[in-house]
Amino acid sequence: MKKEKIWLSPPHMGGNELKYIQNAFDTNWISQYGSNIDEFEKSLENYLGNNSYVTALSSGTAAIHLALRLLNVEEGDFVICQSFTFVATANPILYLKAVPVFVDSESQTWNMCPDMLEEAIKYAIQKGKKPKAIITVSLYGMPFKVEEILQISRKYEIPVIEDSAEALGSKYKGRLCGTFGDLSIISFNGNKIITTAGGGILISRNAAAKNRTLFLATQAKDNEEFYSHSEIGYNYRMDNIAAGIGRGQLETLEEKIEQRRKNHDFYQQAVKNNTNFELFSAPNSDFYSNYWLNTVILKNNLLKEKLKKKFSQNNIETRFLWKPMHLQPLYKGYKFFGNNLSGILFDTGLCLPSGTNLTDDCRARISNVLQNEIH
């Protein structure tokens, strides 16, 4: 008999989501207004602290798009973007017909390399266009090199959009991801550490920016008694039902972070005596990762393919690492600064099951593949 599927990062309900969803139905507030949205935003603002103003939106991608709008990115503007990421980080640059400039990773966090970032900025300035924004990512829950990146941002006076889609609960030197950028985003897609089915948030630093975000996210309606529109807006607001799911999920966030980190401890033990594997881990105590996804690097591409096949044969889902943007057909014509470290990681890396609902039986099946199938 085929064993039950072990998924990479499935949704995990905490139990109270239905209470908040029911409230939305009982009050007949099921669209883009209602107490769930207000309370979800307030809870996240309290959790994040650090002068965070939260706007709940339909996706993390929408949040990046609006962040670029808030920074007045227009056609032809340069925007520097981390190459090693999911395509949703970069696509909103093209929505606005701006020009992405991609920067490679550094080896400790796999996130944007500060040295390559500065090279990219100098290139853009030489072209007569100082970049309008820097989009940096905390990949797989690992915080980026915050101090180095922000120092460069301040030096050249270029704002940072912090893509913490995968990093809710992660910290750098005790401070939560999502609070470092001039604007920051977090995703609540179905595979994230907590979910609203879809959804995301844009985190700004003052009430005026939050109000501007809300204006753009609700079709940019002018302050008139009739429908009047002076600029392009979007239908990007989170609905009250999704926010209800988020309220229930948020109640169990700390437990979910603890469980993801326990998964990392499990993988450390599972691969510690196997020289074929290198588990991606925090470089030092400054970096506190939620370990949204646990990832391993293998000696070569053949071993990676072999391991993925063995997991699949055991009905266990794994995934390749993100294919860097500078290697994507969509972005092959754009400038890239780096040594292709992210490309090497893509060639040799694999994401392993990391859900908060992994059972002892699941871990035993995963461990069996890791310890017995690859030598």
Side-chain angles (χ1 to χ4, degrees), residues 141-152:
M142 187 65 68
F144 65 99
K145 289 199 168 182
V146 173
E147 290 180 347
E148 292 93 328
I149 298 296
L150 294 187
Q151 184 180 19
I152 293 169

Side-chain angles (χ1 to χ4, degrees), residues 58-277:
S58 57
S59 68
T61 313
I64 294 174
H65 188 192
L66 293 185
L68 293 168
R69 281 291 311 271
L70 262 63
L71 295 177
N72 298 313
V73 172
E74 298 176 337
E75 183 174 355
D77 287 336
F78 283 145
V79 175
I80 295 178
C81 184
Q82 184 166 316
S83 183
F84 198 25
T85 186
F86 181 51
V87 73
T89 303
N91 277 350
I93 302 171
L94 297 190
Y95 296 172
L96 296 170
K97 298 183 179 179
V99 181
V101 178
F102 293 111
V103 171
D104 205 1
S105 301
E106 40 76 20
S107 60
Q108 289 188 306
T109 73
W110 295 2
N111 294 313
M112 183 176 284
C113 174
D115 294 336
M116 295 298 105
L117 168 61
E118 193 152 22
E119 282 196 25
I121 292 171
K122 290 176 180 178
Y123 159 81
I125 291 173
Q126 287 172 356
K127 291 290 185 181
K129 286 188 177 181
K130 188 172 81 169
K132 281 284 190 75
I134 299 164
I135 306 178
T136 188
V137 183
S138 290
L139 201 70
Y140 302 120
M142 187 65 68
F144 65 99
K145 289 199 168 182
V146 173
E147 290 180 347
E148 292 93 328
I149 298 296
L150 294 187
Q151 184 180 19
I152 293 169
S153 163
R154 290 189 291 267
K155 177 180 176 180
Y156 292 95
E157 298 182 330
I158 303 170
V160 168
I161 298 173
E162 177 192 1
D163 182 348
S164 285
E166 304 163 0
L168 179 63
S170 297
K171 301 174 186 177
Y172 176 76
K173 291 190 173 180
R175 180 169 166 175
L176 286 164
C177 289
T179 67
F180 296 111
D182 296 273
L183 296 161
S184 306
I185 77 102
I186 291 172
S187 171
F188 302 120
N189 191 28
N191 62 1
K192 297 302 186 291
I193 195 162
I194 67 169
T195 184
T196 57
I201 54 174
L202 178 59
I203 305 154
S204 48
R205 302 296 160 226
N206 55 66
K210 177 173 178 173
N211 290 337
R212 174 69 174 162
T213 303
L214 184 58
F215 171 75
L216 292 172
T218 52
Q219 300 291 17
K221 296 187 288 287
D222 294 334
N223 188 23
E224 301 282 359
E225 291 186 4
F226 48 87
Y227 289 103
S228 175
H229 305 270
S230 302
E231 60 181 305
I232 294 174
Y234 312 93
N235 184 21
Y236 278 171
R237 188 66 161 143
M238 181 180 287
D239 68 67
N240 201 41
I241 294 174
I245 298 172
R247 290 182 71 185
Q249 287 274 287
L250 199 54
E251 292 176 354
T252 61
L253 174 59
E254 293 303 326
E255 296 171 28
K256 287 178 165 60
I257 294 169
E258 182 180 354
Q259 186 56 57
R260 298 264 174 169
R261 288 177 60 82
K262 284 183 177 178
N263 288 341
H264 185 75
D265 293 340
F266 155 72
Y267 282 116
Q268 281 185 317
Q269 292 299 312
V271 305
K272 68 177 182 179
N273 296 320
N274 195 324
T275 57
N276 286 307
F277 300 101

